[in-house]
Amino acid sequence: MAVTELHLQDRLTRLSLAPELGASLVNWEVKATGQALLRHSDPAALASGTPRRLACYPLAPWSNRIAGGGFARRDGWQALTPNTGHDPYPIHGSAWQQAWQVEHHSERRARLRLHSEVPFAYQATLDVHLHEGCLNLDLHVTHLDGPATWYGLGLHPYFPRYPDTQLYAAARKVWLAEHGRLPSYQAEVPEQWCFNALGRLPDTVVDHAFSGWPGECVIEQPSAGYRLACSASGAEHFLLFCPQGQGFFCFEPVSHPVNAHHLPGRPGLRLLQQGEGMSLGFRMQYRPL
């Protein structure tokens, strides 16, 4: 499919976006060398028409999976159905599967907006700003429906993975599951998943949510010659996905753990009345080594 791209640049980096593909980021790279700072999207990835083949996309009005066919609202039950062909659960909300509108576009800034009626009425904005090699992403939602509803937010960036890729992201707990179900309890972070100091990604598959995160993260790429110093706001959790045999990994700042709508206390979710909103931000500062 033909896709319209927006282009931004600052002195050090350039960025392309595809508003109609769920407000996805397509490529972010160093201007002087062409080095990819997020997973590179080739023409085939862009033509596929799915944000899951691109570099990053916003997650609203929830992140990751929700079990049970929906969740309880104060006025009754919010039914949900699976929204992909590969997962039995509705995943990552609905914003990533809709076309966003361009509200503003200049050399270094863009604001994209979505008015959604699925699965309930909300408005989302994504502000994108480049400044001296720093990519700033600010996601905001406003609840438009009459009945109050539970909300969560996230961002889903894909990063290049090399043999010497290192990560720093301190967390207090990890969410684990019993009997192949969705995560339901927290545990101490095992040594191989502990990134309280800069360390290499594990060789085994990781696909877990971590809590008690202060919002700081460093991704160091020695062989590629750079690091990303990252910080998040509105996100006390992150999801780490490290598949085997792939040249990427995902580090997702999120407001809540997987299936939070069915966890005691609904950790990280916000109950929004009509007209109320919530926000999540993520900064990624490129620094050459």
Side-chain angles (χ1 to χ4, degrees):
M1 62 178 293
V3 176
T4 302
E5 291 183 76
L6 295 185
H7 297 276
L8 281 65
Q9 64 174 336
D10 64 9
R11 185 175 64 89
L12 298 174
T13 67
R14 54 180 167 243
L15 176 72
S16 56
L17 305 99
E20 61 205 85
L21 296 183
S24 294
L25 279 58
V26 179
N27 283 303
W28 182 36
E29 60 186 24
V30 180
K31 289 171 69 172
T33 64
Q35 172 67 55
L37 301 176
L38 293 170
R39 180 180 66 175
H40 175 67
S41 303
D42 61 17
L46 188 60
S48 71
T50 173
R52 297 180 65 244
R53 294 280 303 278
L54 301 178
C56 178
Y57 55 90
L59 311 177
W62 73 84
S63 156
N64 215 274
R65 296 164 175 84
I66 297 178
F71 60 90
R73 299 172 19 157
R74 286 186 174 176
D75 67 318
W77 182 256
Q78 174 65 59
L80 298 173
T81 58
N83 56 349
T84 69
H86 69 274
D87 200 296
Y89 303 105
I91 185 169
H92 291 329
S94 61
W96 68 287
Q97 295 180 311
Q98 300 183 70
W100 293 49
Q101 304 302 310
V102 181
E103 186 171 284
H104 169 79
H105 177 218
S106 61
E107 183 179 52
R108 292 191 298 159
R109 293 180 180 270
R111 169 172 281 191
L112 308 181
R113 186 178 299 276
L114 171 69
H115 187 105
S116 178
E117 298 290 338
V118 180
F120 39 77
Y122 67 90
Q123 180 175 273
T125 58
L126 180 66
D127 284 291
V128 185
H129 177 210
L130 282 178
H131 179 69
E132 292 295 303
C134 185
L135 173 55
N136 301 269
L137 302 172
D138 290 289
L139 178 62
H140 181 81
V141 292
T142 301
H143 180 53
L144 301 180
D145 256 3
T149 305
W150 295 99
Y151 275 78
L153 296 177
L155 291 164
H156 198 309
Y158 296 78
F159 295 95
R161 181 175 182 176
Y162 304 99
D164 58 354
T165 295
Q166 296 185 81
L167 174 68
Y168 163 75
R172 290 198 297 269
K173 299 285 187 177
V174 61
W175 285 88
L176 298 178
E178 294 178 333
H179 311 301
R181 299 182 178 180
L182 294 182
S184 59
Y185 69 97
Q186 295 187 81
E188 297 297 322
V189 179
E191 183 178 353
Q192 67 269 27
W193 299 344
C194 183
F195 297 98
N196 290 344
L198 200 63
R200 293 202 181 179
L201 298 175
D203 295 327
T204 54
V205 174
V206 183
D207 190 6
H208 290 81
F210 296 78
S211 61
W213 178 47
E216 301 297 321
C217 164
V218 174
I219 297 168
E220 190 154 301
Q221 309 279 24
S223 61
Y226 73 92
R227 68 160 43 186
L228 296 178
C230 310
S231 62
S233 58
E236 295 184 359
H237 309 261
F238 67 83
L239 275 80
L240 180 62
F241 176 47
C242 299
Q244 284 187 304
Q246 300 289 331
F248 72 87
F249 73 101
C250 299
F251 182 91
E252 307 164 38
V254 294
S255 63
H256 60 93
V258 179
N259 201 33
H261 296 74
H262 295 287
L263 294 174
R266 298 183 180 90
L269 294 178
R270 290 274 304 278
L271 181 65
L272 298 185
Q273 306 287 340
Q274 187 177 45
E276 292 183 335
M278 68 179 296
S279 300
L280 182 146
F282 196 43
R283 315 279 179 266
M284 293 174 275
Q285 175 69 62
Y286 159 72
R287 301 189 189 281
L289 293 176

